[in-house]
Amino acid sequence: GTVTHYDGVVWEAQTTPTGNALEGVWMAAPDDVYAVGYYQVLHYDGVSWTSMGGNTSKNLRGVYGFAPDDVWAVGHYGQIVHYDGSTWTNVVSGTTQSLRAVWGSGPDDVFIVGEGATILHWDGVEMQPMAVDAQVTFEAIWGAAEDDDIDAEILAMSTEDIKQRTRMIENEVRMLNSECNRLKHEQA
């Protein structure tokens, strides 16, 4: 697994204890970073990367946390693991769909998304599925927590949304190229 660190001036490759792909990263602090991937969780202590195992037999895709003793990782076949500062524990997801990303506003408000339009919510006690009227694979989730000034806002991005945005950008580039060619011919 390749990890490259930017110190504000230069990008530098860091050595990890795995040659397998890494797919997600979350940083609690510069000396407390978690990366997930092929059957594993890695931890960076500010000096070196070490394997934490992660108590998983599945590929992990996403990681997010609130503190060094409250980290979530999600992956294939409904795999969810939670780190309490000393142990990674399996959490029952209730799905066999592959999970792609995790985000939350706090320890008792965690959202997980994945294939088959899967959206799960952890309320501090149990994981519950949430209904969504879509047939998509959600790849990413992010939000803003509810406070006195704003309502909670959460966005889940699907593969189809990403592909659609890519097509829109490609069309814009084609139109700009066409306009540039037209202007070149007018000036000639």
Side-chain angles (χ1 to χ4, degrees), residues 3 133 140 156 173:
V3 174
D133 187 22
V173 168

Side-chain angles (χ1 to χ4, degrees), residues 1-185:
T2 301
V3 174
T4 307
H5 173 259
Y6 183 66
D7 65 4
V9 177
V10 66
W11 287 95
E12 184 177 353
Q14 295 181 332
T15 303
T16 69
T18 183
N20 295 326
L22 297 171
E23 299 194 40
V25 64
W26 177 74
M27 181 170 65
D31 61 351
D32 194 16
V33 183
Y34 300 82
V36 297
Y38 196 69
Y39 303 108
Q40 66 195 335
V41 177
L42 301 181
H43 181 258
Y44 182 70
D45 62 6
V47 177
S48 64
W49 288 93
T50 57
S51 177
M52 297 182 78
N55 194 26
T56 183
S57 62
K58 305 195 176 54
N59 186 35
L60 297 173
R61 300 283 307 264
V63 59
Y64 189 81
F66 305 99
D69 62 352
D70 192 4
V71 182
W72 295 82
V74 301
H76 289 189
Y77 306 105
Q79 178 76 66
I80 302 173
V81 290
H82 178 259
Y83 185 63
D84 65 6
S86 62
T87 305
W88 287 94
T89 305
N90 283 298
V91 177
V92 175
S93 69
T95 185
T96 58
Q97 296 287 343
S98 287
L99 304 173
R100 304 291 178 94
V102 56
W103 172 86
S105 66
D108 60 353
D109 193 34
V110 179
F111 295 86
I112 297 168
V113 297
E115 292 179 356
T118 300
I119 300 179
L120 304 173
H121 179 249
W122 172 260
D123 62 7
V125 177
E126 64 182 338
M127 197 66 66
Q128 291 291 321
M130 298 182 77
V132 61
D133 187 22
Q135 293 302 317
V136 297
T137 293
F138 290 114
E139 297 285 349
I141 187 164
W142 198 260
E146 186 173 358
D147 65 21
D148 292 336
D149 298 326
I150 62 168
D151 292 332
E153 293 287 335
I154 302 171
L155 301 173
M157 177 77 72
S158 72
T159 304
E160 289 74 11
D161 294 331
I162 294 168
K163 288 178 185 174
Q164 180 181 10
R165 182 67 182 140
T166 300
R167 284 190 299 273
M168 288 172 47
I169 291 169
E170 288 169 346
N171 286 336
E172 289 174 15
V173 168
R174 276 192 286 279
M175 289 188 316
L176 288 171
N177 284 336
S178 177
E179 182 65 14
C180 286
N181 287 334
R182 185 187 65 77
L183 291 172
K184 284 180 188 176
H185 290 312

